Each structure stands twice: as structure tokens, then as C-alpha cells.
Amino acid sequence: MAFSTILRRSFSKAAPLATKFIGFHKNPQSSAAASTAVSALNRATISPRFAGRRFCSSSAAVVDGVSSDKKLIEVVQSEIEVAEQSEDPEKTVPAPADFPFTMEDNPGEQTVTLSREYDGETITVEVSMPNLVTGEEDEGGDEGDDEEPRTDSSVPLLVTVVKKDGNAPYLEFDCTAFPDEIRINGLSLKNPETEDHLAYEGPDFYDLDENLRKAFHKYLEIRGVKPSTTNFLHEYMIDKDSKEYIRWLKDVKTFVEA
């Protein structure tokens, strides 16, 4: 299936949620945002007869807290219902016929791990939640001397290639998967026997000769990191992102109700 078709189909369900909530449940400052939201609810539910006072009695504060919690639970429940209406519980995302990896997806985790054996090597791919784009230009973009900034959705990948001869050095690729394209942002040669963070890990990837860059792309493609794999992962991770959001909302509701 072409990636553009996958993207349109996925966004028909995911975009309304992504536009409204992508910054909320992934932002490292979400705790602060949630605290601010609760404070706003507290202010909104204060009885008018206490509105002119700087302080209120402890009993009034308890009543206000209960009211605030109840309001928060109602809002969260409403959001759960909206999210579930956009989610197809019977939906499965089938892997392509040439998918060479074993997948490990643990509910509640924000990454999925792929692994396979290839010609005496262990290939591991850590797949993170997609960076969804809903029509507005991504100001950050991916930068490179020969690369144009992209404004479409992407999936971050961390690819590790390990030889089977014990604690030998291994290659680690930092990649971004776009529609029908995989970009290598950087690569490094790691040594598990040392913890020297100042060790030289190689030049910037885009400083390498073009033929060398192409050879590294081919190196990953042979090991299974190719567009047919990453296009499937994009759709799969969009679906996972939606499920994890609903799970998170229900966990928050349970906590507030306790």
C-alpha cells in the first residue's frame, strides 16, 4: 500500500485528536499543563459568595476540591468517549508480506521493538511514536547540507546492528522514516566495553561523501530497514498512539476517582 494512501486513511481518524491533543500527552511539560488546567477548574467552580475573598475556610476548600475533581472526571470521561468514537476496536494493521522482523509491543509503553537475525548479526529497531503533521509546517524540520526540510509526518527509528562475537563494537543509526523515504540523521560506532562519552564516534552523516551515504542506506535496506517496513510502522504507530492515549485517559480518570 502506498504510504500516501496510508497517511490519508490514518489521518481521517487520527487528525482531529492529533490536532487537539498531540502537544498535550507527549509534551514533557504535560504535568505542568495538567496542573494549570486543574487550577483553572478550581477557579471556575468557586461559589460566588467566596469570589471576593482572598482566602476561604477549609470546609469551603474541600467542597470546592470535590467539585473540581468531579468536573475533571466528567471532562476526562467526555474525552474518552470522543477518542473511542474515532477508534475502531476491530482494526488491525497487517504487516507486509516481506516484513522480516519479530515485533514486541508492550501496552503502556511508547516504543515498539523490532528484532531479527541476519548473517551473523542481531538487528534491533526501536520505533518511537510518530511525529504527526496536520497541515502546518514543522518549523524544526530535518536539517542537512543536501536535504530539504520536510513538512509531512514521520517516525523516529533507532537501528542497532550487533555482531554475535560478544562485546565487540556495534553500529547505531539514528533515522527518520518519511513517506516512502528513510533518512539517516547520524550513525556512530559504539563500544560496550567503554563508557567514554568523549570517544570519537565519526563525522556528521551529511559530511560524508554522497556515495558513502548511499552505501549506508543500502546497508540498512538489506537488513530490512526499507520503505515497505517503515510505511507499515507509520500506520501501526498511529494506531498505537491512539490506543495509548485512550489508556492514559482511563488511568488518569481512575486515579482522580480513587
Side-chain angles (χ1 to χ4, degrees):
M1 180 182 294
F3 192 95
S4 57
T5 302
I6 293 173
L7 190 59
R8 286 195 298 270
R9 192 180 72 183
S10 300
F11 275 144
S12 66
K13 294 182 178 181
L17 290 176
T19 303
K20 186 175 181 182
F21 302 105
I22 185 171
F24 178 75
H25 68 283
K26 293 181 182 177
N27 193 320
Q29 297 178 340
S30 58
S31 296
S35 177
T36 302
V38 173
S39 297
L41 287 171
N42 285 339
R43 292 194 299 271
T45 53
I46 294 177
S47 172
R49 66 195 185 98
F50 293 109
R53 300 185 184 181
R54 184 175 180 86
F55 302 98
C56 60
S57 67
S58 59
S59 59
V62 170
V63 171
D64 181 57
V66 172
S67 176
S68 176
D69 288 357
K70 181 179 179 181
K71 180 63 177 178
L72 178 59
I73 292 170
E74 291 174 355
V75 174
V76 172
Q77 178 58 37
S78 176
E79 178 55 27
I80 291 172
E81 294 171 2
V82 171
E84 288 182 332
Q85 288 175 2
S86 301
E87 178 70 22
D88 182 359
E90 303 299 325
K91 178 182 177 181
T92 58
V93 182
D98 62 346
F99 189 72
F101 293 96
T102 299
M103 176 182 290
E104 180 181 351
D105 181 3
N106 297 319
E109 295 184 1
Q110 63 179 354
T111 60
V112 167
T113 302
L114 311 180
S115 60
R116 69 170 298 201
E117 302 297 320
Y118 173 82
D119 195 23
E121 301 171 345
T122 299
I123 317 299
T124 304
V125 183
E126 184 179 271
V127 189
S128 298
M129 289 296 186
N131 295 316
L132 298 177
V133 176
T134 57
E136 297 181 0
E137 183 175 356
D138 183 2
E139 296 180 356
D142 285 274
E143 298 179 357
D145 293 343
D146 300 323
E147 303 289 342
E148 294 294 328
R150 297 292 297 258
T151 58
D152 39 12
S153 298
S154 61
V155 178
L157 310 173
L158 186 65
V159 184
T160 304
V161 181
V162 180
K163 299 289 186 180
K164 285 189 175 181
D165 53 354
N167 292 325
Y170 60 91
L171 279 176
E172 185 176 85
F173 295 82
D174 172 21
C175 303
T176 303
F178 290 97
D180 298 315
E181 178 187 356
I182 301 170
R183 287 190 176 178
I184 300 176
N185 304 316
L187 69 92
S188 57
L189 185 63
K190 304 282 189 177
N191 192 336
E193 294 182 344
T194 66
E195 297 182 356
D196 186 359
H197 298 290
L198 299 179
Y200 179 72
E201 297 182 342
D204 185 280
F205 184 75
Y206 294 103
D207 289 339
L208 297 176
D209 177 79
E210 181 180 0
N211 289 331
L212 185 53
R213 296 202 304 269
K214 289 181 178 179
F216 275 120
H217 277 283
K218 189 66 175 179
Y219 178 87
L220 290 180
E221 180 182 344
I222 291 173
R223 285 157 178 78
V225 184
K226 52 189 177 179
S228 63
T229 297
T230 57
N231 289 353
F232 155 71
L233 289 174
H234 190 284
E235 185 178 12
Y236 185 93
M237 294 305 288
I238 287 177
D239 186 62
K240 177 178 172 63
D241 186 49
S242 177
K243 287 182 170 63
E244 293 298 344
Y245 179 51
I246 294 172
R247 181 179 291 107
W248 176 82
L249 285 170
K250 290 180 177 180
D251 288 345
V252 170
K253 181 185 176 204
T254 300
F255 175 83
V256 177
E257 289 175 330

